[in-house]
Amino acid sequence: MGVMRLRIDLGYDGEGFYGWALQPNVRTVQGEVENAIRRILRVPPDDSEDPVRLVVAGRTDTGVHASHQVCHVDVNASTLSRAKGHMRVSAVTALEHRLQRIVPDDIAIHSVSAAPEGFDARFSALERTYVYRIADRGSGVDPRLRGCVLHIDDELDIDAMNQAAAMTIGLHDFGSFATPNPGGTTIREVKRAYWERVPSTPLCAGIAPQAGRVAAKAKAKTKTKAKTKAAAEPTESPESTEATTQSYVVPALESGLVCFTIVADAFARNMVRSLVNACVQIGVGKRDLDWFAGKMEVPEREGSTGPIAPQGLTLEHVAYPPDSQLASRAQSIRAVRTLS
Amino acid sequence: MGVMRLRIDLGYDGEGFYGWALQPNVRTVQGEVENAIRRILRVPPDDSEDPVRLVVAGRTDTGVHASHQVCHVDVNASTLSRAKGHMRVSAVTALEHRLQRIVPDDIAIHSVSAAPEGFDARFSALERTYVYRIADRGSGVDPRLRGCVLHIDDELDIDAMNQAAAMTIGLHDFGSFATPNPGGTTIREVKRAYWERVPSTPLCAGIAPQAGRVAAKAKAKTKTKAKTKAAAEPTESPESTEATTQSYVVPALESGLVCFTIVADAFARNMVRSLVNACVQIGVGKRDLDWFAGKMEVPEREGSTGPIAPQGLTLEHVAYPPDSQLASRAQSIRAVRTLS
């Protein structure tokens, strides 16, 4: 029956993990997911036939989150069939359902699927998107988000930070902003990098149904600003005169946060958090753009910034080429990485 | 010098609290904030001159969050002046800064201000806005939000739930959906109530600066859909041909969630969570709209739904009338509540 490669899409809250990568005696995302798969497929640890070893697109550090991570695992088809049990679905779908049920609640399995020919979660990937979220003085603080947002007291100068971010775009050696990689390279291609204060947008379109009217009418498809801020519909109660104040519009949770979005082919170790730290230093006036330009020009870790706190960072996306290009992409990247 | 009334605006993550209201031997929001104020003003517990007793707009239950709660406290002006220390700001501002610094990180003090004449956090309030957040089968699950979102396996029928919600609007006896209030009333006026699946909106406007261009240009003010989904700007690297895939747009965290927004003059005990539970039963097909209509018509707790899990619920807003109407509003509400 041969070996099947499965693609697993998942998310996690990084707070309770020592990062993605398997390590002895500590809780890691890889460890939790591998163990869950072994339990479902009844594979003992260290089984040489079925090692159940995940290969991941973006190894995240301790405390870093992922809303959408991708990994793959190779499993013997005969072993995989054990996932079915009494379920009347394919073995892959059965594994998906069972995994979703048994992983701890800080991991979410988005999907499990048969990987297309040539797919490699790590080497086929075209680009990774990370977002770093900060609540500064201009944001307001929402304690519900403190697990995935860094809070700083100052107000950030977003224009200055964006001027630094713009310098990172293109093919550069990020040696100033990455943990040294002996025998490897810190050259990466940044495709997009920018800071933005999230505009205050309403959580919902907020078309309030009136009493007695069928509520399905509320499904208006156009959501203009004017409509989302529509005043409260006057009610017929005796107190309605004092209720004609403009109705409050609940904002989306992230309204006002300062977010850094960065897209690159791949990232060197600690690169995003070191760049964020450098930009924040600029944003609060502790460093200037000339210093940043110098660090981009001469890749030197000395005198640079270390990584900022992990909890603000989330891996948001991994992009892959069309199925027909998966194998060639993996081959070319593997060649580059091996050279370095 | 007399007594000063202070208005305190705050938010909290309800997970670590046994609700708002002070109780012996357990952690409550009121207890934490009162203790913090006493520490700053050096007032011993049970001080009869300065009891430091908070009066709140919306008493939240165990596990319920608030993004924006309002309370007031009366303090002798001479005691309040102790907040200043060496700070060159008013005593009120000094108290605000110190409180912000010493409260635990699951509480955020948004502001402390001198309350206008006639202000009463509870009795002057015109209306309260709550939101309940659910991740259903159509939402996708983000583990970072599991502390403030209820996860259910089924897909919800939002149209049906909205038909139930529409029946709650107006002045009704919510006895079917509230913990009995002996000697009191469960009559409340719901002003708005609706369910909505949060549209998938981009986190940021996403105007990526190009390398070398001054990034401040990115502050475009119009954010049309077309622009937010702008393709990745082609870069000059040799690999750029394969990077011309449409760039991924990071969605706002709450995209796809099913949210219930409800605004009322006030809420009976457990009313929001019991209504949400009833609507969810309808949304998954376990109860029908006739049953709901009957429970609205005859207020009877028996055969009704109890409160749903607290973690999905957040007090989002408390509205007050213009300063000139604060005292008369408080007087009229106090009279109604005393009668009941």
Side-chain angles (χ1 to χ4, degrees), chain B residues 23-331:
Chain B
Q23 291 178 67
N25 306 322
V26 294
R27 189 167 183 262
T28 68
V29 184
Q30 183 182 4
E32 289 288 331
V33 177
E34 287 182 356
N35 283 341
I37 296 173
R38 280 198 201 96
R39 267 176 61 197
I40 294 167
L41 302 183
R42 284 169 275 132
V43 175
D46 308 315
D47 185 283
S48 60
E49 288 285 298
D50 271 302
V52 186
R53 208 38 96 213
L54 300 180
V55 173
V56 78
R59 283 164 67 116
T60 49
D61 290 327
T62 298
V64 174
H65 317 287
S67 64
H68 205 132
Q69 171 73 280
V70 183
C71 62
H72 79 245
V73 63
D74 294 326
V75 183
N76 280 306
S78 57
T79 308
L80 180 63
S81 67
R82 292 181 200 151
K84 282 185 74 168
H86 300 290
M87 293 169 85
R88 285 183 202 184
V89 292
S90 73
V92 176
T93 304
L95 178 62
E96 176 184 279
H97 290 173
R98 290 189 200 268
L99 255 186
Q100 284 171 335
R101 217 140 285 176
I102 74 168
V103 291
D105 73 353
D106 48 2
I107 299 178
I109 303 292
H110 300 321
S111 66
V112 179
S113 57
E117 182 70 28
F119 178 83
D120 183 294
R122 180 176 173 203
F123 289 114
S124 299
L126 280 182
E127 58 186 41
R128 283 92 173 157
T129 302
Y130 280 88
V131 169
Y132 198 97
R133 291 171 174 80
I134 299 179
D136 73 343
R137 185 142 43 101
S139 305
V141 175
D142 190 323
R144 289 173 297 173
L145 291 184
R146 72 191 185 289
C148 58
V149 170
L150 178 72
H151 176 230
I152 65 171
D153 284 335
D154 302 270
E155 180 144 0
L156 293 167
D157 178 345
I158 295 175
D159 285 352
M161 293 158 83
N162 257 332
Q163 290 182 52
M167 294 183 213
T168 68
I169 294 173
L171 196 68
H172 299 283
D173 187 336
F174 289 93
S176 297
F177 301 107
T179 301
N181 179 10
T185 174
T186 47
I187 298 172
R188 295 291 187 277
E189 189 198 357
V190 171
K191 295 170 182 179
R192 304 174 78 199
Y194 62 95
W195 288 90
E196 189 176 327
R197 189 177 296 279
V198 178
S200 184
T201 46
L203 170 63
C204 292
I207 315 296
Q210 275 180 305
R213 212 175 63 183
V214 175
K217 294 266 166 66
K219 278 172 60 182
K221 276 183 184 166
T222 52
K223 286 160 205 128
T224 64
K225 277 250 160 145
K227 279 190 184 168
T228 58
K229 291 199 170 171
E233 317 255 10
T235 58
E236 282 156 51
S237 86
E239 277 186 38
S240 68
T241 49
E242 63 176 322
T244 50
T245 47
Q246 189 87 355
S247 202
Y248 177 72
V249 177
V250 176
L253 268 173
E254 292 154 294
S255 296
L257 293 181
V258 178
C259 292
F260 180 56
T261 305
I262 185 164
V263 183
D265 58 344
F267 290 91
R269 186 97 206 276
N270 281 328
M271 178 175 152
V272 184
R273 290 201 281 142
S274 300
L275 282 172
V276 168
N277 205 359
C279 289
V280 167
Q281 300 281 313
I282 290 163
V284 300
K286 284 189 186 161
R287 307 254 196 178
D288 61 24
L289 287 163
D290 287 341
W291 165 80
F292 189 85
K295 296 313 286 178
M296 284 300 296
E297 215 169 278
V298 183
E300 212 175 48
R301 192 74 179 141
E302 219 184 298
S304 188
T305 44
I308 201 164
Q311 82 263 27
L313 186 60
T314 300
L315 170 61
E316 299 279 358
H317 188 68
V318 184
Y320 293 95
D323 287 359
S324 62
Q325 294 165 35
L326 286 168
S328 61
R329 168 78 187 172
Q331 214 159 22

